[in-house]
Amino acid sequence: QQQVKQSPQSLIVQKGGISIINCAYENTAFDYFPWYQQFPGKGPALLIAIRPDVSEKKEGRFTISFNKSAKQFSLHIMDSQPGDSATYFCAASGIKAAGNKLTFGGGTRVLVKP
Amino acid sequence: NAGVMQNPRHLVRRRGQEARLRCSPMKGHSHVYWYRQLPEEGLKFMVYLQKENIIDESGMPKERFSAEFPKEGPSILRIQQVVRGDSAAYFCASSPTNYGYTFGSGTRLTVV
């Protein structure tokens, strides 16, 4: 019940295109859903996060869409740039679900072609 | 304000040796978490500590692995008698509260 499933595993998009990554969770006690960006040899960096009381959150070119009834959330990267090429991880946590530890998806490797 | 500092960045150990990984949290952060990342996989939770206390070690293997976060000094993740399967990137994160982690750059452990 602690799983977070992420798809696709990899994604190639042209510069200026939209990258879409999807995640699904099982545990309804999760109440915090962050997305992390990781470059090779670096640690994950928090990109954007959402709580279940809102259905969408936008920060610059990054948007999280959240569907509480379907237990799904997604990351949209608008106007994708070569510098966005990285691995993206969705995650979930919640005090009642799992203390405050994060459960990560398997990651999506995004390549933005110039 | 420096970020989460982990050292060493790379560590090579022979099978059977001990690996000691260090993590200095951000200033003012009293919550420390350790995660392990196998190649091409997501991060898996290992242990959550506050100063001098282990709060949650449900992700830690029962044998050979231990963690501490003393009153003074960095948090230490210790792996005794390493095996090839311990080869991974180990990330530490810190937080001032229950949410909002900041990750370090990790220690890449290679067991030969």
Side-chain angles (χ1 to χ4, degrees):
Chain A
Q1 220 187 5
Q2 296 295 332
Q3 274 191 317
V4 176
K5 295 182 179 178
Q6 183 172 347
S7 63
Q9 286 188 306
S10 62
L11 183 59
I12 299 174
V13 62
Q14 292 295 128
K15 179 183 175 183
I18 302 174
S19 303
I20 302 174
I21 306 170
N22 300 299
C23 285
Y25 64 98
E26 298 171 1
N27 194 329
T28 54
F30 285 144
D31 61 5
Y32 176 67
F33 301 90
W35 285 88
Y36 285 84
Q37 180 188 55
Q38 185 179 31
F39 293 105
K42 301 292 185 182
L46 180 64
L47 198 59
I48 186 172
I50 198 169
R51 294 192 184 277
D53 51 345
V54 296
S55 60
E56 186 174 282
K57 183 175 180 180
K58 184 177 181 180
E59 288 184 2
R61 296 184 293 108
F62 300 93
T63 300
I64 299 179
S65 297
F66 186 83
N67 185 329
K68 188 174 181 179
S69 61
K71 293 187 285 185
Q72 294 175 348
F73 57 111
S74 60
L75 176 70
H76 290 60
I77 306 174
M78 313 300 285
D79 187 27
S80 297
Q81 300 296 313
D84 297 332
S85 297
T87 300
Y88 294 81
F89 293 95
C90 62
S93 73
I95 293 295
K96 293 180 181 178
N100 45 18
K101 56 182 180 257
L102 287 168
T103 300
F104 282 85
T108 297
R109 185 174 293 182
V110 175
L111 176 63
V112 181
K113 289 193 168 182
Chain B
N1 185 11
V4 177
M5 304 300 292
Q6 288 189 249
N7 63 81
R9 290 295 307 275
H10 300 275
L11 182 62
V12 179
R13 284 288 177 265
R14 295 187 184 278
R15 280 178 294 171
Q17 290 185 320
E18 178 179 286
R20 191 173 291 215
L21 289 61
R22 288 177 291 277
C23 168
S24 296
M26 290 183 69
K27 187 176 181 180
H29 288 194
S30 59
H31 301 246
V32 166
Y33 312 83
W34 286 92
Y35 286 77
R36 176 164 63 176
Q37 185 177 33
L38 295 171
E40 309 299 323
E41 292 188 14
L43 286 79
K44 296 287 194 295
F45 169 80
M46 298 183 74
V47 62
Y48 161 40
L49 310 101
Q50 293 184 24
K51 281 288 186 182
E52 299 184 275
N53 291 304
I54 296 175
I55 307 302
D56 182 350
E57 55 182 349
S58 59
M60 194 99 94
K62 292 290 184 282
E63 297 178 352
R64 301 189 298 109
F65 286 72
S66 63
E68 62 178 9
F69 188 16
K71 188 176 180 181
E72 301 291 338
S75 175
I76 305 288
L77 179 68
R78 182 186 302 171
I79 311 171
Q80 296 178 302
Q81 298 176 320
V82 295
V83 300
R84 288 235 171 96
D86 297 332
S87 294
Y90 291 83
F91 290 97
C92 168
S94 73
S95 171
T97 61
N98 290 332
Y99 298 105
Y101 290 21
T102 300
F103 281 90
S105 293
T107 293
R108 279 142 189 89
L109 172 66
T110 302
V111 179
V112 297

